[in-house]
Amino acid sequence: MLVEQVMKAPVITLRATNTIAEALQLLRHHRIRHLPVVDEEGRLLGLVTSQDLRDASPSIFHLHEHLEDLQKPVSTIMKTDLIVGHPLDFVEEVAALFYEHRIGCLPIVNHGKLVGIITQTDLLRTFIELTGVHQPGSQIEIKVPNETGMLSKAAAIISERHVNIASVLVYPAPDPNEKILVFRVQTMNPLPLIRDLQNAGYHVLWPNLPGVTS
């Protein structure tokens, strides 16, 4: 999946001359946490987050004593050393950037101009959609030898029951000679599938039902 398929666009932005007060108003109105700062041609100049704005705002106990702070331009607090992405980047690569650099959002730039933004929430929503956990169904985990063709063989057994597979994940097992296959299947009764898989010699890890799974 590409970033352009999950990014938000168009993006709510600021100009460098916008005030901190105006930025706060935009955040509250749109219920967002990140505001890219762009120039007149849409080129990315910086980024302001809700945390930046909270840090720059006067305390509620001294609000009337420091109202001038809210009139400062966002250029005085914006971050300019930014990590950016491209619309054709892969989502899994972007997720690695979020994890490695502990960032909350990634501005998406094409030909020097801001074209979108992707946040932690967007990544989480994408992961949920890809795994199919937001749809009714069941999850089956099996341990198989780390050999070519094991995924297709297990999927064929599920297919024989005419059950649709919503998603498949492959995890490494503690033993490097094995791997774990996780099927999200669109059935509320996985027992027939479990029995078929066991009869074919697969070790079912989940669901762990006494007297049913091995």
Side-chain angles (χ1 to χ4, degrees), residues 7 24 30 36 60 71 86 100 116 155 165 173 183 200 202:
M7 70 183 188
L24 283 168
H30 294 282
I60 59 173
Q71 299 308 312
H86 187 274
E100 180 181 355
I165 299 174
F183 292 93
Y202 291 98

Side-chain angles (χ1 to χ4, degrees), residues 34-118:
H34 310 92
L35 282 169
V37 182
V38 299
D39 64 13
E40 294 80 1
E41 297 181 0
R43 291 189 293 260
L44 182 66
L45 300 178
L47 179 75
V48 175
T49 69
S50 56
Q51 185 62 54
D52 297 330
L53 293 170
R54 282 195 295 268
D55 292 343
S57 300
S59 165
I60 59 173
F61 300 108
H62 305 283
L63 182 61
H64 296 291
E65 301 173 18
H66 301 282
L67 286 177
E68 68 278 4
D69 290 345
L70 295 176
Q71 299 308 312
K72 293 179 180 179
V74 294
S75 59
T76 60
I77 64 168
M78 69 182 186
K79 293 180 174 69
T80 57
D81 185 16
L82 302 178
I83 300 170
V84 300
H86 187 274
L88 298 183
D89 287 341
F90 291 109
V91 171
E92 57 267 33
E93 294 173 349
V94 166
L97 286 176
F98 273 72
Y99 177 77
E100 180 181 355
H101 297 282
R102 299 189 179 187
I103 55 178
C105 77
L106 189 73
I108 307 302
V109 175
N110 191 16
H111 298 299
K113 295 185 179 181
L114 181 72
V115 295
I117 190 170
I118 187 169

Side-chain angles (χ1 to χ4, degrees), residues 86-163:
H86 187 274
L88 298 183
D89 287 341
F90 291 109
V91 171
E92 57 267 33
E93 294 173 349
V94 166
L97 286 176
F98 273 72
Y99 177 77
E100 180 181 355
H101 297 282
R102 299 189 179 187
I103 55 178
C105 77
L106 189 73
I108 307 302
V109 175
N110 191 16
H111 298 299
K113 295 185 179 181
L114 181 72
V115 295
I117 190 170
I118 187 169
T119 67
Q120 289 177 331
T121 302
D122 298 325
L123 286 179
L124 181 59
R125 183 189 68 250
T126 301
F127 177 77
I128 290 172
E129 292 174 350
L130 288 175
T131 55
V133 296
H134 63 305
Q135 299 174 352
S138 303
Q139 182 168 302
I140 300 175
E141 298 182 15
I142 60 175
K143 184 164 61 177
V144 300
N146 189 11
E147 300 173 358
T148 302
M150 297 306 299
L151 175 58
S152 61
K153 292 176 182 178
I157 293 173
I158 297 174
S159 177
E160 289 175 1
R161 286 279 180 177
H162 303 288
V163 174

